[in-house]
Amino acid sequence: MTALLNFYYNKSVINTLKYLAYSLKVDQSELLAICENIENFYYERVTPKLDKHNKPKLKHGIEQKRIINPSINRLKVIQKRILSNILNKIPLPEYAYGAIKGRDNLSNAKKHKGKKYKFTTDLRDFFPSVTNKMVFEMFIFNGFSPTVARFLVKLTTLKGHLPQGASTSPMLANLVFQTRTKDLLEITEKYNLTFTSFIDDVTFSSSVNFKDQISEILNVLKTAGFKISHSKTYYKSSPAEVTGILVKNNTITITESFRKKLKLKENETPAQMAGKKRYARRIKESNKKRFN
């Protein structure tokens, strides 16, 4: 189905700089000027990496940092148009759940309900690991001309990779992941596995033991150029956490860590407290509904 959708999409794909500028509602001269001074259209924000207890992560006693590079000014506007006018029109597979309208971590976790065996892994430093070369190859795969692909890469990457904080990065990560891990679909079909991705979280599940296939799955991910976070990689034949939700055999529920957060009221506004309660209630009520 995805191949068929790509065929129809490629009929109207953007192949010239003139058409690209028209699609983004900007002059070609402005696109050229921005691309020549791309680093002037980002700023840097450094934040601590937090663990599941909301405390700073430490490695060898050193606090781990996350570098955020949001875009600014006209590039921010243009990236939003790239997302809405170009990226969101490229078909994505059914297994992708992150940064997609109508899909979220709840519907992602729901796909694995009722499966005894679950394997979850996290792709470490996901956005930085998606290089400009990967993004270029993704655009070529989807039928864009090399010229247009180069401009789109220039407008959406920074210092050779996807910048965390840009509006285009999550969808580009989805599209790159799709084009580079096609072998995962063969594995899931061969062994009748359920497979979902949620940005950097990858989950497989089955009613039968598939432990022998884990090395095959990891090999595909590593060969595609992604790094595995071994501390967030596990195989379980019991309730398991999937994208922040505890997935049991017949139900899904909030995790114990989130249950504790519900009881904490310090430094929280009434709106934040109400939001957490709504989220917990939505998870509970979802067991009565069917999620696609």
Side-chain angles (χ1 to χ4, degrees):
M1 178 61 75
T2 299
L4 182 62
L5 288 173
N6 276 331
F7 172 79
Y8 287 114
Y9 172 75
N10 291 343
K11 290 285 188 178
S12 59
V13 80
I14 299 169
N15 280 313
T16 66
L17 179 57
K18 181 179 179 180
Y19 188 23
L20 175 63
Y22 171 79
S23 299
L24 300 178
K25 298 180 174 60
V26 297
D27 293 331
Q28 292 183 53
S29 58
E30 184 178 16
L31 285 183
L32 290 167
I34 290 175
C35 288
E36 289 174 358
N37 301 278
I38 197 69
E39 293 191 16
N40 294 333
F41 291 88
Y42 290 93
Y43 71 94
E44 184 172 290
R45 185 170 75 243
V46 180
T47 61
K49 289 186 177 181
L50 303 177
D51 60 20
K52 63 180 181 180
H53 302 294
N54 218 33
K55 295 182 178 180
K57 284 185 178 180
L58 299 177
K59 186 175 183 180
H60 306 303
I62 301 174
E63 188 175 295
Q64 299 298 290
K65 303 290 186 181
R66 177 177 285 106
I67 299 175
I68 312 294
N69 292 112
S71 55
I72 59 174
N73 301 331
R74 284 293 288 168
L75 180 60
K76 182 176 181 179
V77 174
I78 290 172
Q79 284 181 341
K80 287 182 178 180
R81 292 175 185 173
I82 290 174
L83 178 62
S84 61
N85 298 348
I86 298 175
L87 301 182
N88 284 345
K89 294 181 180 180
I90 301 177
L92 275 171
E94 292 181 357
Y95 67 71
Y97 278 81
I100 301 174
K101 187 177 180 180
R103 306 182 193 181
D104 58 13
N105 69 313
L106 176 53
S107 54
N108 176 76
K110 191 87 171 183
K111 290 291 290 186
H112 301 281
K113 192 177 92 170
K115 307 295 173 61
K116 180 178 179 180
Y117 300 92
K118 304 174 189 70
F119 173 66
T120 296
T121 189
D122 178 89
L123 305 180
R124 181 164 51 89
D125 299 325
F126 188 42
F127 286 174
S129 70
V130 178
T131 66
N132 50 7
K133 182 176 183 291
M134 292 179 180
V135 177
F136 177 81
E137 291 173 347
M138 180 278 296
F139 280 121
I140 296 299
F141 173 81
N142 281 286
F144 292 81
S145 71
T147 297
V148 169
R150 279 191 288 271
F151 270 94
L152 286 170
V153 168
K154 193 71 174 176
L155 291 165
T156 56
T157 63
L158 178 67
K159 298 179 180 179
H161 59 78
L162 289 184
Q164 194 158 342
S167 61
T168 46
S169 291
M171 186 56 70
L172 282 171
N174 277 335
L175 292 166
V176 168
F177 183 87
Q178 174 196 2
T179 58
R180 297 185 70 83
T181 59
K182 295 186 288 294
D183 288 346
L184 288 181
L185 290 178
E186 294 183 13
I187 295 173
T188 58
E189 290 176 4
K190 182 178 180 180
Y191 300 104
N192 194 28
L193 307 178
T194 296
F195 161 46
T196 63
S197 68
F198 192 87
I199 308 297
D200 55 357
D201 286 306
V202 182
T203 305
F204 296 81
S205 64
S206 176
S207 299
V208 297
N209 192 337
F210 64 100
K211 191 173 184 178
D212 291 343
Q213 281 68 58
I214 292 177
S215 60
E216 193 175 350
I217 291 169
L218 291 176
N219 185 58
V220 171
L221 293 170
K222 292 175 183 177
T223 302
F226 301 116
K227 304 172 186 176
I228 304 300
S229 177
H230 295 289
S231 63
K232 297 180 180 179
T233 299
Y234 58 80
Y235 180 81
K236 286 189 175 182
S237 59
S238 59
E241 185 176 332
V242 177
T243 50
I245 296 173
L246 189 63
V247 181
K248 300 181 179 180
N249 188 36
N250 296 314
T251 60
I252 62 173
T253 184
I254 59 174
T255 61
E256 186 59 33
S257 60
F258 190 83
R259 199 178 303 278
K260 291 178 180 178
K261 287 182 180 179
L262 283 174
K263 298 177 182 179
L264 295 176
K265 298 182 180 180
E266 295 182 4
N267 302 319
E268 284 196 343
T269 65
Q272 290 173 322
M273 293 168 58
K276 289 195 302 185
K277 290 179 180 179
R278 281 196 303 271
Y279 177 70
R281 187 165 57 249
R282 182 167 169 254
I283 292 174
K284 182 178 180 180
E285 292 175 351
S286 73
N287 290 298
K288 305 173 184 178
K289 303 174 183 178
R290 180 179 182 272
F291 278 75
N292 295 320

